[in-house]
Amino acid sequence: MSRAAPRIVDTDVVVIGGGCAGVYAALRVQAAGLEVLQVVKGFLGRSGASIFAGNLQLQKTKDPAEEERFMAIRARYGSSYLNDPDYIRRACRFTEDVFFPEMEQRGLYLRRDDNGELVTSHDRSAGNVWAPNQGFSGTMIMELLRKDVLARRVPLLQETMVTSLLVRDGVVTGVTAFDIVHGELFVIRAKAVIIATGPGNYLATRSTATREQCGNGFAMAYRAGADMQDLEMQWFHASDIAAPKAWMRLHLYPNPMPVTDKSLWLHGKDGKMFFHLGMNPKVKQPYYLQLRHLCMQVQKGNADWHGGYYGGYTHIEPDIMENYSHTAAFFKHLGYDLTKDLIPCGITWHMTFGGIRTDNRTMATSIEGLYAPGGCGSHGVGSITYVSYDGTIAADQACERARSVGLPELPEHLVQREHDRVHSRLAPRPPGGLLPAQVKKRVREIMTDKMGYVKSAARMASALDDLADVRQRLLPAMGVGSTSRTWNYDWVEALDAEDMLDLCELTIRMSMQRKESRGYFFREDYPYIDNKRWLKHTVARRVGDDVAFEFTEAAPIFRPENEIDDFLTAEY
Amino acid sequence: MDAPVHVAPVPPREPTTDVTPRFRARIFRFDPATDATPRFDAVEVPCEPHMRVLDVLDHAVEECGLSIGYRYFCGIKRCGMCGVNVNGKAVLACWEAATPDMVIEPLGNMPVIRDLIVDRSAFEQATVDLEPRLVRKTPYTSFPEVYTHRDVAATFPLMNCIECYVCSSTCPAVPGPHPGAHGREGQRGFVGPGTLVQIAKVALHPKDELDRSGMLENASIDHCMSCYRCEQVCPVGIPIVSHAIMPLRGLAAKGPAGKARFPLDFADNVRTHVDIHSGSLFVKAKGWVRALASVPLVLRMLMRGKTRLFSRPSARAKREVNALFKAAGS
Amino acid sequence: MRFAYYPGCTSKGSTREADVATKWLAREVGIELAELVDAGCCGSCEIKAVNPTLHFMLNARILTMAAEQDLEILTICDTCQANLLHTSRRMQEESDAMRSLLERLKSAGVQYGTTPRVRHLASILLEEIGERELRDRIARPLAGLRVAPFACCHSFRGPGASIGSREGLEALVALSGATSVPVRVDTDCCGFHILMTNEELSARTSAKFLARCVEMKADCIVTTSPLCHTALDIYQRKAESVAGRRFGIPVLHLPQLLALAFGAQPRAVGLDRHMVSTAPVMRQMMMTA
């Protein structure tokens, strides 16, 4: 392969990712007067998890008792005691003091009634609000942020995929970036790198991540030597529509609906309702319980993971669906009558609560100069509103760094290596080989079969074997259908396939480390929550060709009552 | 650099006894770097429950091994990026149901990058240039702002627009996809309904305080033919003409260049003549000099009895119509 | 059968032949037309841009004039039809907007009562006379005549659209004995509403449809709107000039087409009053003027 001489672009701070965290970071850096370059694999505000935020949470943090209560709820029902409540407190305050006012100033319309009151569910302590309807809030937020970025002329590259982090002696010096439209790999050299690639990881056949979100951010950080944390804490959705396949991200929200305290009912094969949030009003967040109750139904043969159970709105007033639900129009489009029909559902691989290990006060990672705000960080976010705080903090830290250091020297050998790797993937598919899209499909099938909601050591080991087979047999015979450089998605998917293999293997190995169940993470060989030994984070780091693991204590602010709880019947 | 290589797709599977109905699709393929002309690739797809056009495209790649270029991100009508033409109809691939015989082509009015991928930048840039942000002059006080659902009645019907530009792709007033067709700031062709909905979201917001009349004139809003094609195709059901373009035309009518003042001239003509008197409206709209160029046409019309030189509204009609004007605040 | 007849503005002037043909046809099938004199303009697509309230009030007044006589409205222009139909739907809503309109109308001296039905001539022929009787009246089937129907955009889309309007037009063309040529596609527009302000763009748009008429060998076009007729007939020469080619396709109003099939003399229904000569069609049908 030829000696690489890629184009080099210099900037103070490069921001990877175009969701809420990335936008907040980029705007903040620009406002500070430094040079920023935002790089998005898809399109700013049109891809990624941010556009899917369906319910916004408005917490009143000025009342200390209220704040304490909320933090306790979040710790227990939102993270099973793994998050740092202090981070939640800071993020919530920022949300109330800065995010909501700024967004409203930009024109965000939080749904009001005819009297000017914010529309919420009857249980006001759940604090849900919508812009303007349930299911559309994230899209609306990102639309306003996108317009701000574009109107302020923040330097922006779209359909440009960052392929590697260039780290020299433990310090990040920049990134390699791939222009998808023209098929060109180039280098961005920067004094600080903000990676905001989000929590989505399209690693299973049914996933809520957007098409391009193949865990590239996680894979790159891991390959560059960053510490990764809690990747095994993978969230699933229990109530996403089963068909059409194109609509697998269409979510039947289990939260309390607007102007009522009713919420979605789940029905089994027998047609009977087996879960809704109202069954356990103390629990403010329904997602854990939905999955556990579904699991019990699957065990009884009254549901399957990918069908055979249903979501129902038949008990909810039609005008609530008509006036407040964005997703109601989708069901109608398929011909469902929401007053009578039940909608077939399946589970989906949602997003990971873990990620690149961060210090949640600074968003700093274990690589100097690399910051990971938002869902791709390990601090367990789960809400679009919080990542605005993350992005702001990361930007402040990055700016402070950029003011104090000069442009770094690039690691030439890494640039060469990446150039070779990327260009080797433009090889045409040999006879009997697969397109990259087909290899990705195979990887997702393995994860679906053997890394579903119910895990076991045996299945996970088998998954590793299957992935090893993909790596050894399918990957070398993988090739593109055309070697044209113009918008060649085969080429992008070839890079995705490598990232996905790295990330899936790492995720499985971290899952094997955690010998308990917690939150969304269920092992049938360790079917209990072990608060005595496992109120811990799993940390992984690449060492040569192997992985090193260590464990750190979770923040001790709130503690569960029992040392051991049976996972399936616990409420947290 | 070597000329690009195209690899033959995976050969069809052995025939089976599978009796699942199959849908057929012919998909537009074109790589401007290598192809002189477009071609169509044909696929057969087993019909699945509620199948969308997007599922057909996924199948064409994953099962048939075709390296088709197509965009989508969300699959559920949020990202606005999967617009295509199916059997001549401009649709979103994720929203549109698959049918037994489909011809899938790229959206119109935009240059093709490759296969089904089009370059949206002319429309996106027009949106950015027309100031798509809310412009407040009165300072924002505190959260939450005081207003009711009624206060946002003008923009609420527009909020679900996802800027998919399916409307602009099929609008007859939008310039075509050739380079430079759209002009640039200060001298644009019609920016299209998609951009106008984005601008209407802020222009009609109760807190927006920017005078946008001049910008709308520059957006050639007077080119809109009121054909409602945009409303017909909008996958989200936005009432584009009634709730975005018409109100914006009203704003533009007061613009400094007078380029979009026709609705005001029309209204004046009705107030004066009750029935439209085309002759005087024609002269008002074009000015005497340009109207004179149409004299030959007018003479021919006169000879065929197609002119009404003088209007004679009855006093009663004039009185009643003027009373309506007054009551409507005009 | 008696209807309040609302011809609209252009059929009193530049498309007077549409009014003439409508009256001929109405007499023939036994429809009595009580013309709404002093009804005024429906506002077209202009007044709704600068004053939506005024737009609805102007149309509400027209509706009242028919309601006062206890008559349904017959229109011959799809834009008038759409404006009146949209207004009639709005006036039947129970809403604050509607109530506020009623107040304003009252203050301007218009007592709005019931809402009359509003239909285009084409719908009334099919729904009230019926296909069988219409077919019985065909004296001169237009066999061999290739007709490209041009449904007005406002007849099938927008808030004033009438369900089944395109199908109705096809049915009437078929009934006349002519062959319908499917030239019109949904992206076509005659461009009428920007004729006075953007003549070149208007002509370029209609030229696309006209060119396809030539390619698909249509003998003539038939319209249900005098506004479309104006753009396609009166400004056909302009379209030729911007397209750089000749079209020469006659454009008939729907009542003229039906009248011919019923046996009317061409001059009796204004076919000598077009800008693009209809002589080729008459020759083809072996008619004398």
Side-chain angles (χ1 to χ4, degrees), chain A residues 345-368:
Chain A
C345 291
I347 67 160
T348 14
W349 179 280
H350 185 33
M351 50 197 209
T352 180
F353 254 59
I356 306 169
R357 181 164 156 81
T358 47
D359 173 341
N360 65 51
R361 293 199 149 265
T362 60
M363 304 299 142
T365 65
S366 66
I367 295 178
E368 198 182 317

Side-chain angles (χ1 to χ4, degrees), chain B residues 140-289:
Chain B
Y140 176 79
T141 46
S142 70
F143 178 83
E145 257 187 313
V146 176
Y147 52 89
T148 70
H149 189 58
R150 280 176 232 258
D151 293 328
V152 295
T155 50
F156 189 68
L158 308 175
M159 283 185 189
N160 289 340
C161 170
I162 53 174
E163 219 181 336
C164 69
Y165 291 119
V166 163
C167 56
S168 298
S169 83
T170 187
C171 166
V174 165
H178 41 281
H182 290 253
R184 61 188 166 289
E185 207 165 353
Q187 181 126 32
R188 285 188 195 282
F190 185 50
V191 294
T195 293
L196 291 174
V197 173
Q198 296 303 308
I199 301 308
K201 286 187 186 188
V202 286
L204 305 179
H205 191 287
K207 304 291 181 183
D208 187 73
E209 293 172 84
L210 182 65
D211 177 0
R212 296 171 183 270
S213 60
M215 288 194 291
L216 289 167
E217 283 182 303
N218 288 338
S220 294
I221 195 171
D222 56 296
H223 289 194
C224 172
M225 300 180 201
S226 305
C227 77
Y228 290 90
R229 172 68 179 153
C230 47
E231 280 195 22
Q232 183 189 21
V233 300
C234 176
V236 178
I238 308 279
I240 300 175
V241 175
S242 349
H243 285 71
I245 299 184
M246 285 297 174
L248 291 181
R249 286 181 67 209
L251 293 178
K254 299 175 219 146
K259 210 171 158 257
R261 62 164 291 111
F262 186 69
L264 291 172
D265 294 339
F266 191 99
D268 280 343
N269 193 288
V270 171
R271 187 202 281 261
T272 307
H273 300 284
V274 178
D275 287 325
I276 278 289
H277 185 248
S278 322
S280 48
L281 183 60
F282 192 81
V283 170
K284 188 87 210 296
K286 288 178 168 304
W288 276 106
V289 176

Side-chain angles (χ1 to χ4, degrees), chain B residues 150 170 172-173 222-229 231-232 242 246-247 249-250 253 262-264 266-267 270 274-276 278 281-282 285-286 290 294 297 300-301 303-308 314 316-317 320-321 323-325 327-330, chain C residues 9 12-17 38 40-41 43-51 54 57-58 61 96 104-105 107-108 110 153-154 156-159 166 186-187 189 191 193-199 201 205 233-235 237 272-275:
Chain B
R150 280 176 232 258
T170 187
D222 56 296
H223 289 194
C224 172
M225 300 180 201
S226 305
C227 77
Y228 290 90
R229 172 68 179 153
E231 280 195 22
Q232 183 189 21
S242 349
M246 285 297 174
R249 286 181 67 209
F262 186 69
L264 291 172
F266 191 99
V270 171
V274 178
D275 287 325
I276 278 289
S278 322
L281 183 60
F282 192 81
K286 288 178 168 304
R290 284 167 65 206
S294 299
L297 175 62
R300 288 172 60 222
M301 286 172 68
M303 290 185 335
R304 286 170 177 73
K306 290 169 85 72
T307 56
R308 190 166 67 102
S314 77
R316 180 183 146 236
E320 287 178 7
V321 164
L324 291 181
F325 269 74
S330 246
Chain C
C9 301
K12 294 179 183 166
S14 49
T15 55
R16 199 170 286 154
E17 69 279 356
D38 286 347
C41 179
S44 189
C45 295
E46 308 308 320
I47 292 188
K48 58 177 81 162
V50 286
N51 191 333
L54 175 60
M57 289 175 74
L58 287 170
R61 173 172 167 269
D96 292 337
R104 284 194 204 242
L105 282 166
S107 79
V110 177
C153 295
H154 298 160
F156 64 93
R157 49 193 187 210
R166 278 192 282 191
D186 280 4
T187 40
C189 177
H193 290 285
I194 55 169
L195 253 181
M196 286 204 196
T197 53
N198 289 281
E199 195 175 295
L201 175 60
T205 312
D233 173 59
I234 298 177
Y235 281 84
R237 222 181 248 196
D272 55 332
R273 303 284 184 168
H274 293 201
M275 300 302 281

Side-chain angles (χ1 to χ4, degrees), chain A residues 193-239:
Chain A
V193 176
I194 296 178
I195 180 166
T197 49
N201 47 3
Y202 189 171
L203 302 180
T205 308
R206 282 175 56 90
S207 167
T208 64
T210 47
R211 180 213 206 170
E212 86 298 352
Q213 271 194 312
C214 298
N216 310 102
F218 297 135
M220 297 193 267
Y222 171 67
R223 281 201 296 268
D227 289 356
M228 309 297 289
Q229 178 173 297
D230 295 339
L231 285 177
E232 72 277 13
M233 306 310 286
Q234 175 66 43
W235 190 347
F236 289 83
H237 266 178
S239 52

Side-chain angles (χ1 to χ4, degrees), chain C residues 22 37 130 140 192 195 210 247 285:
Chain C
T22 298
V37 183
R140 183 208 271 137
F192 174 83
L195 253 181
L210 290 163
F247 299 129
M285 296 289 103

Side-chain angles (χ1 to χ4, degrees), chain A residues 42-43 46-47 51-52 58 100-101 104-116 132 135-136 139-140 143 146-148 150-152 159 210-212 243-247 249-250 326 329-330 333-334 336 428-429 435 437-438 441 480-488 490, chain B residues 1 3-10 31 33 49-52 54-55 61-63 65-67 69-79 81 94-95 113-114 117 120 124 128 131-134 136 140 142-145 147-150 152 156 159-163 198 201 205:
Chain A
F43 286 86
R46 297 194 194 282
S47 41
I51 58 172
F52 291 133
L58 185 58
F100 276 114
E104 188 170 66
Q105 196 169 356
R106 286 184 171 105
L108 185 70
Y109 173 51
L110 291 187
R111 190 63 180 275
R112 308 287 204 277
D113 59 26
D114 283 342
N115 301 318
F136 201 67
T139 306
M140 182 128 276
E143 178 188 308
R146 177 173 66 243
K147 285 165 174 170
D148 213 0
L150 294 173
R152 286 179 197 274
E159 283 196 313
T210 47
R211 180 213 206 170
E212 86 298 352
K245 169 118 195 307
W247 286 16
R249 301 167 187 87
L250 188 68
H326 181 80
F330 287 73
H333 191 59
L334 298 184
Y336 289 110
R429 181 179 59 79
L435 285 183
Q438 296 170 315
K441 184 163 184 258
V480 298
S482 160
T483 57
S484 165
R485 284 172 184 257
T486 308
W487 213 94
N488 188 337
D490 284 351
Chain B
M1 191 179 74
V5 165
H6 296 285
V7 179
V10 173
D31 182 345
H50 300 302
M51 196 159 77
R52 305 292 104 184
L54 185 57
D55 291 312
V61 177
E62 289 173 1
E63 305 303 325
L66 294 170
S67 300
Y70 63 107
R71 274 193 190 122
Y72 85 94
F73 294 104
C74 72
I76 52 169
K77 216 169 68 163
R78 302 263 193 294
C79 70
M81 299 302 287
C94 71
W95 186 247
I113 294 176
R114 177 177 165 173
I117 312 286
R120 301 160 35 118
E124 290 177 337
V128 173
E131 187 44 276
R133 296 174 295 177
L134 187 65
R136 294 173 184 263
Y140 176 79
S142 70
F143 178 83
E145 257 187 313
Y147 52 89
T148 70
H149 189 58
R150 280 176 232 258
V152 295
F156 189 68
M159 283 185 189
N160 289 340
C161 170
I162 53 174
E163 219 181 336
Q198 296 303 308
K201 286 187 186 188
H205 191 287

Side-chain angles (χ1 to χ4, degrees), chain C residues 31-268:
Chain C
I31 289 177
E32 202 186 322
L33 297 174
E35 187 161 336
L36 291 175
V37 183
D38 286 347
C41 179
C42 71
S44 189
C45 295
E46 308 308 320
I47 292 188
K48 58 177 81 162
V50 286
N51 191 333
T53 305
L54 175 60
H55 168 87
F56 285 116
M57 289 175 74
L58 287 170
N59 283 278
R61 173 172 167 269
I62 299 167
L63 294 173
T64 309
M65 290 170 74
E68 276 167 358
Q69 300 179 60
D70 214 11
L71 294 172
E72 294 180 9
I73 296 179
L74 182 152
T75 60
I76 57 167
C77 166
D78 288 300
T79 299
C80 300
Q81 169 62 28
N83 284 337
L84 287 168
L85 185 59
H86 183 202
T87 304
S88 73
R89 286 174 178 154
R90 207 167 151 100
M91 297 310 287
Q92 290 172 87
E93 284 169 11
E94 280 301 312
S95 66
D96 292 337
M98 193 274 270
R99 280 184 278 276
S100 149
L101 260 177
L102 285 177
E103 282 299 311
R104 284 194 204 242
L105 282 166
K106 197 158 153 201
S107 79
V110 177
Q111 287 286 83
Y112 191 90
T114 57
T115 301
R117 204 163 167 201
V118 185
R119 284 179 291 175
H120 190 280
L121 169 71
S123 305
I124 287 172
L125 287 173
L126 286 167
E127 290 165 20
E128 302 304 330
I129 310 298
E131 275 191 61
R132 198 145 67 103
E133 189 182 327
L134 290 169
R135 217 186 301 275
D136 286 347
R137 291 182 180 278
I138 304 284
R140 183 208 271 137
L142 304 176
L145 187 68
R146 291 173 59 79
V147 175
F150 190 84
C152 170
C153 295
H154 298 160
S155 72
F156 64 93
R157 49 193 187 210
S162 297
I163 301 168
S165 54
R166 278 192 282 191
E167 294 76 1
L169 173 57
E170 290 292 335
L172 289 168
V173 170
L175 208 133
S176 75
T179 305
S180 176
V181 187
V183 180
R184 195 215 209 284
V185 294
D186 280 4
T187 40
D188 282 329
C189 177
C190 71
F192 174 83
H193 290 285
I194 55 169
L195 253 181
M196 286 204 196
T197 53
N198 289 281
E199 195 175 295
E200 163 116 12
L201 175 60
S202 174
R204 250 189 292 128
T205 312
S206 64
K208 292 183 186 163
F209 171 72
L210 290 163
R212 232 178 295 117
C213 283
V214 173
E215 277 145 34
M216 293 174 75
K217 298 190 175 22
D219 297 318
C220 66
I221 296 164
V222 69
T223 60
T224 51
S225 164
L227 305 185
C228 301
H229 191 275
T230 300
L232 294 169
D233 173 59
I234 298 177
Y235 281 84
Q236 193 172 123
R237 222 181 248 196
K238 177 72 185 179
E240 289 176 338
S241 154
V242 300
R245 57 181 286 190
R246 209 174 162 268
F247 299 129
I249 308 174
V251 188
L252 270 60
H253 298 278
L254 178 66
Q256 290 175 321
L257 186 82
L258 289 172
L260 282 181
F262 283 10
Q265 291 302 308
R267 289 189 83 168

